Amino acid sequence: MAKSPVADRNNVIRPPTTKAKSNNNSTKHRMAKLAIFLFTISATALFFYLSEIQSLHLRSPPSSWFSDLIHTNASSSSSAVVTTGDQQADDEEHRLIIDSMTEKLRQSVTFLPLKDLRYSPVPLEGHTWFMSSLFDFQDEDGGVQYQEFPFVSDPAKGNSLGRLLCLKGRDTHDGSWNYYALAWKEALPVNATLMKGLTFVSYNHYDYGNIWHGLSSLVPFVAWHRAHRCGDSSFPDRWVLYHWGELRLGMGLWLQTLTEAIFGGEGPPRVEGFEGIGEDQPVCFEKAVVMRHNEGGMSRERRIETYDLMRCKARVHCNVTLDRRSTDDQGVPVIGMTLFLRTGARSFRNESAVIRVFREECGKVDGCRMQVAYSNNLTFCEQVKLMSSTDILVSPHGAQLTNMFLMDKNSSVMEFFPKGWLKVAGVGQFVYHWIASWSGMNHRGAWRDPDGNNCPFPEDDRRCMSVFKDGTIGVNETHFSQWAQSVLGEMKARKLEDAKMTVNGNNFEHVPKTCHCG
């Protein structure tokens, strides 16, 4: 019976010794030399990859040597070729060696914290503090940044060296207590659960309840889905959501419905909570796509294409089949103006006066139709229908403005702020300028109320944001009136120009039943 391998003082594994065979048996002698050579190569590769796994230093090999080795051994073991007793002993020895290698790899899987506290001062820069040891990839110029596991065939995507992504822990309060690792499919961590299909893993620095922040986390997955031409293999079986590395167990209803509209499936998207899995029990994914930069790095062209797909999918999902005309039967442009109002923080102090001003200006333009709606009492599909009939959106700064991407492209947005935001709110106050640009809309400027609550500190002191953030907005009837006239005039001119490009005045704007992808 063959002896087990041993290590010398240099910690190099030597092949087992066997009883000497007859020098006349040249065939068996050659086989023994071949076994020694194969074992030496395997042992060297084992130590090399153990060190690679320990450091998670990721370089791209041309192929998955470990998988090939396993499959080659399995094929040879199942071969119908009749072997001699010595050959059978050698095969058994090789199997034991590979089993030993597999177990060593299994035990060597190293889990690192999802949230790397070393990068706390700059959590969103570079690789971010989420899965900080790994690199991102872009399929195309201006495309979305993502990680995909496993990936072997393309050296540029060799992040995982053919390994799967594994996660451990489900802490909802401290992301440094949740962990990630990479592991070969044939050598998953001890007690690991393998989840089949495609898993989307999302990192959001904010939350999944606010529709703006939720949309920002969804966009890169839609962009990846679109880049893969919406093929069957690009639809997720589940979502794993993280905020600062902390597990999140659900989405807001608006985001949930939009996700369902885009990716389909039977019912709402499945958000993984790892129910029935122990706190320290790893979970590995057959295929996983990770996003941690939201829309960061995407070009405006790629973003517009992505928002086009989301708009179309939302309208189809909500069965919005409005037959809108650029002009009516008399050639008069049809313009939809919507006042999308808030209650509470950042609402208008005298909303009746605001409604009156815009109603009067709309009434002066033939074909203008104004409607007033509140963001807190509409379902997702009601919001889709409302935006689909809106050419000019008038609304205070707030999450409800996220719905603007559901309007037809080249629609206009008018935004309003309480006192103090310009000096102390930071770049976040411009998010609706950005989404207007990214989704193909026209942001027609913002009005900033000069009056409001006073701050006990200098007005450029960041502490004043706690005073100004939830302030209300006044009214300047003269300015609002002139502003409305300008935006309505521009929209009328565009509608007339659009009408010239239609055939025989048949300028219905049908909502398609299928959406172009890729």
Side-chain angles (χ1 to χ4, degrees), residues 48-62 110 112 127 130-137 146-152 154-165 180-184 290 292:
F48 173 75
Y49 277 96
L50 284 177
S51 63
E52 289 287 73
I53 291 174
Q54 183 68 30
S55 64
L56 281 178
H57 184 67
L58 305 175
R59 290 189 291 269
S60 303
T110 302
L112 300 176
H127 297 174
F130 183 79
M131 296 173 58
S132 63
S133 70
L134 303 179
F135 295 83
D136 294 294
F137 181 79
Y146 69 97
Q147 299 168 24
E148 185 172 336
F149 306 95
F151 224 109
V152 172
D154 185 341
K157 298 181 183 179
N159 241 359
S160 66
L161 309 180
R163 289 171 289 178
L164 309 185
L165 175 66
Y180 72 101
L182 303 180
W184 304 104
V290 179
R292 57 182 179 177

Side-chain angles (χ1 to χ4, degrees), residues 399-414:
Q400 78 286 344
L401 275 169
T402 306
N403 287 283
M404 72 171 74
F405 80 91
L406 297 167
M407 299 190 293
D408 292 338
K409 281 202 292 188
N410 293 314
S411 295
S412 295
V413 179
M414 304 170 71

Side-chain angles (χ1 to χ4, degrees), residues 179-460:
Y179 304 91
Y180 72 101
L182 303 180
W184 304 104
K185 184 176 182 180
E186 299 83 359
L188 297 180
V190 176
N191 295 325
T193 297
L194 178 63
M195 290 191 172
K196 299 287 188 178
L198 173 62
T199 302
F200 280 171
V201 180
S202 172
Y203 172 76
N204 190 340
H205 197 66
Y206 301 98
D207 64 71
Y208 299 91
N210 176 284
I211 67 175
W212 158 247
H213 297 311
L215 178 68
S216 297
S217 66
L218 177 63
V219 165
F221 290 103
V222 181
W224 183 87
H225 176 66
R226 183 190 173 280
H228 289 75
R229 301 190 178 277
C230 305
D232 291 342
S233 62
S234 67
F235 287 86
D237 294 281
R238 69 189 63 80
W239 295 73
V240 181
L241 309 179
Y242 288 104
H243 161 71
W244 291 18
E246 303 159 6
L247 187 65
R248 292 293 177 260
L249 303 178
M251 307 174 177
L253 183 58
W254 184 95
L255 180 63
Q256 176 181 295
T257 310
L258 178 59
T259 302
E260 181 182 353
I262 295 168
F263 293 105
E266 298 179 0
R270 175 185 171 188
V271 177
E272 187 60 59
F274 304 117
E275 294 85 359
I277 296 174
E279 184 71 26
D280 294 324
Q281 183 178 350
V283 174
C284 302
F285 304 99
E286 183 178 40
K287 183 176 181 181
V289 173
V290 179
M291 302 290 179
R292 57 182 179 177
H293 293 285
N294 291 346
E295 301 176 49
M298 291 179 64
S299 67
R300 182 171 183 267
E301 180 182 3
R302 296 285 89 79
R303 296 183 206 224
I304 286 178
E305 292 168 349
T306 302
Y307 278 101
D308 284 349
L309 178 60
M310 292 194 296
R311 178 187 307 111
C312 180
K313 289 282 190 178
R315 291 182 177 184
V316 170
H317 177 79
C318 295
N319 197 30
V320 174
T321 56
L322 299 178
D323 288 333
R324 299 189 63 211
R325 292 174 178 264
S326 296
T327 60
D328 62 17
D329 292 336
Q330 287 72 45
V332 176
V334 177
I335 300 173
M337 173 180 276
T338 298
L339 269 65
F340 205 21
L341 303 180
R342 295 170 59 94
T343 58
R346 297 191 298 284
S347 61
F348 288 108
R349 290 194 292 274
N350 188 354
E351 67 178 30
S352 61
V354 176
I355 293 171
R356 175 174 50 78
V357 170
F358 282 94
R359 194 182 300 280
E360 287 177 357
E361 294 305 323
C362 182
K364 296 175 184 177
V365 178
D366 290 343
C368 182
R369 302 164 184 174
M370 196 184 92
Q371 51 191 336
V372 178
Y374 290 84
S375 60
N376 62 342
N377 62 359
L378 297 178
T379 66
F380 174 82
C381 283
E382 287 170 342
Q383 292 177 72
V384 172
K385 183 175 181 178
L386 177 68
M387 293 298 109
S388 298
S389 63
T390 298
D391 299 298
I392 300 173
L393 180 61
V394 181
S395 188
H397 178 85
Q400 78 286 344
L401 275 169
T402 306
N403 287 283
M404 72 171 74
F405 80 91
L406 297 167
M407 299 190 293
D408 292 338
K409 281 202 292 188
N410 293 314
S411 295
S412 295
V413 179
M414 304 170 71
E415 188 176 4
F416 301 78
F417 285 89
K419 174 186 175 180
W421 274 61
L422 183 60
K423 292 183 178 179
V424 296
V427 297
Q429 64 187 296
F430 301 111
V431 294
Y432 300 111
H433 286 72
W434 304 337
I435 190 175
S437 173
W438 300 339
S439 60
M441 307 301 161
N442 298 305
H443 196 286
R444 296 303 186 186
W447 183 76
R448 298 174 182 275
D449 192 348
D451 302 316
N453 296 332
N454 293 319
C455 179
F457 310 106
E459 291 194 351
D460 58 354

